[in-house]
Amino acid sequence: MDLRQLRYFIALTEYRSFVRAAEAMGITQPAFSRAIQSLEHTFGCPLVDRASKALLPTPEGLVVLQHARRLVQGAAQLSNEVLQMTKLDAGELHFGSGPALAVRLVPDALRHFIEHHPGIRNSLLVDNAERLGQALRREQIEFFVDDIRPFEADPNFHTEPLSPRPGLFFCRPGHPLLAKDSLSTNDLFSYPLASALLAPGVRKRLANLSGRSDFIPHLQTEHLAILRSVVQASNAIGTASEEAVADDLAAGTLVRLHWRNLPPALEVLSVRCGVVSRSGYRLSPAARAMIETLVGLDTPVRAAAIR
């Protein structure tokens, strides 16, 4: 058994095809099959159910898969950290970001980091908090920056706060609501709502306001460019962080909406940002340097500057 065989087995469980997995690993299918058979011979049992069209792992295969991921990731981290021990001029950094921070802070940090550490290869995963947490548990990334509230009570995670990103509602110029002198939350539910993926607690509060048992926006997407485009081209009302739409508000291509009776509880629409990493895990020098960069550049857009 060697790391190469373990990498092949991981690829097989991901692609569920000997042909596609072999192509992904850059070897011939017969050579790939022989490597898997050799690994099965080492353990003395089949690792995938070949009678299954999906090539599902056997119970033994699931155990091997769990340890294989840990061993392969550990070997990569070991090599990466040794390369970075003397100075940050080699190796890789894998980290993640929620959409709100991927608008301004993370791009600024990457530009700064690449300028000062051009030998480090960076890989950024932008996704919602749930999937970022899954990637962190699987050790696919070393840390991520996003709303820390879902992770603060979990002992498996360590959180370090950054400045919060206030949320707001917005619409296109010329929207019918802008002709009204005063807006209530009843007006909010007269039009489609477009937002990022909402946590259950936020949906519950919106449902209570609208008098419904549940509330699901007409559009939910983590792609802020799509969200902004839909709002600019329709009567939909958008919600996002102030930072995400600051340039549009300043240019007048989007307009902030003010509600006279919006409950304070809806502050949950804001993002309480921070850095999330695994508890008890020693971050690589590159990860620590990137976090220091993010903290140093953490200057969120102020509400007064974009109203």
Side-chain angles (χ1 to χ4, degrees):
M1 176 182 63
D2 56 35
L3 286 175
R4 175 181 54 86
Q5 292 174 331
L6 295 178
R7 290 191 183 95
Y8 291 170
F9 179 59
I10 293 171
L12 181 59
T13 63
E14 291 175 349
Y15 288 94
R16 302 294 173 87
S17 163
F18 279 88
V19 174
R20 292 199 301 271
E23 290 176 351
M25 300 306 292
I27 65 171
T28 65
Q29 189 270 325
F32 183 90
S33 297
R34 287 195 298 271
I36 297 297
Q37 291 168 356
S38 177
L39 187 63
E40 290 177 320
H41 178 75
T42 298
F43 289 110
C45 60
L47 300 180
V48 293
D49 182 4
R50 289 170 173 76
S52 165
K53 184 177 180 180
L55 289 176
L56 297 173
T58 62
E60 297 85 355
L62 289 173
V63 173
V64 172
L65 178 62
Q66 179 183 6
H67 288 276
R69 284 174 171 158
R70 186 178 300 120
L71 289 168
V72 169
Q73 183 68 25
Q77 290 170 350
L78 172 61
S79 175
N80 192 37
E81 188 158 345
V82 170
L83 285 171
Q84 298 172 16
M85 284 299 290
T86 54
K87 56 182 178 179
L88 293 174
D89 59 0
E92 298 180 352
L93 171 61
H94 299 263
F95 72 106
S97 171
L101 292 177
V103 174
R104 193 178 301 269
L105 177 61
V106 170
D108 288 348
L110 277 168
R111 285 192 291 269
H112 185 278
F113 191 84
I114 291 171
E115 180 182 353
H116 289 81
H117 310 293
I120 299 293
R121 297 184 300 275
N122 298 277
S123 175
L124 172 65
L125 171 66
V126 179
D127 215 324
N128 62 54
E130 181 181 354
R131 287 195 282 266
L132 288 171
Q134 292 172 352
L136 188 59
R137 288 188 183 93
R138 294 169 182 165
E139 302 183 6
Q140 295 169 338
I141 55 177
E142 286 197 72
F143 71 91
F144 66 86
V145 285
D146 197 29
D147 196 327
I148 61 176
R149 285 172 293 190
F151 306 96
E152 287 180 307
D154 191 329
N156 295 308
F157 295 104
H158 171 74
T159 59
E160 178 181 351
L162 296 169
S163 300
R165 265 60 182 178
L168 79 164
F169 292 93
F170 54 90
C171 66
R172 65 172 177 84
H175 193 286
L177 286 180
L178 297 177
K180 302 188 69 171
D181 293 331
S182 178
L183 299 178
S184 72
T185 50
N186 290 333
D187 297 309
L188 169 62
F189 300 105
S190 298
Y191 295 91
L193 183 66
S195 74
L197 297 179
L198 297 179
V202 180
R203 284 174 48 188
K204 183 177 180 181
R205 288 182 173 91
L206 288 172
N208 291 337
L209 279 175
S210 64
R212 308 173 194 177
S213 58
D214 193 8
F215 182 87
I216 300 177
H218 292 74
L219 168 64
Q220 292 190 92
T221 178
E222 297 295 351
H223 294 276
L224 291 171
I226 294 176
L227 191 155
R228 289 162 44 231
S229 296
V230 168
V231 173
Q232 288 169 341
S234 72
N235 282 338
I237 296 171
T239 179
S241 70
E242 292 183 351
E243 187 171 297
V245 293
D247 292 341
D248 294 286
L249 295 173
T253 54
L254 291 173
V255 181
R256 180 182 186 129
L257 291 168
H258 298 272
W259 315 95
R260 66 173 183 268
N261 60 339
L262 193 65
L266 277 183
E267 290 177 359
V268 292
L269 287 173
S270 300
V271 181
R272 186 144 63 82
C273 298
V275 180
V276 183
S277 56
R278 295 193 300 280
S279 295
Y281 173 77
R282 187 172 183 268
L283 292 169
S284 69
R288 294 196 296 271
M290 176 59 82
I291 291 172
E292 290 174 3
T293 302
L294 289 162
V295 172
L297 295 175
D298 180 30
T299 53
V301 175
R302 299 297 175 187
I306 60 176
R307 285 178 182 173

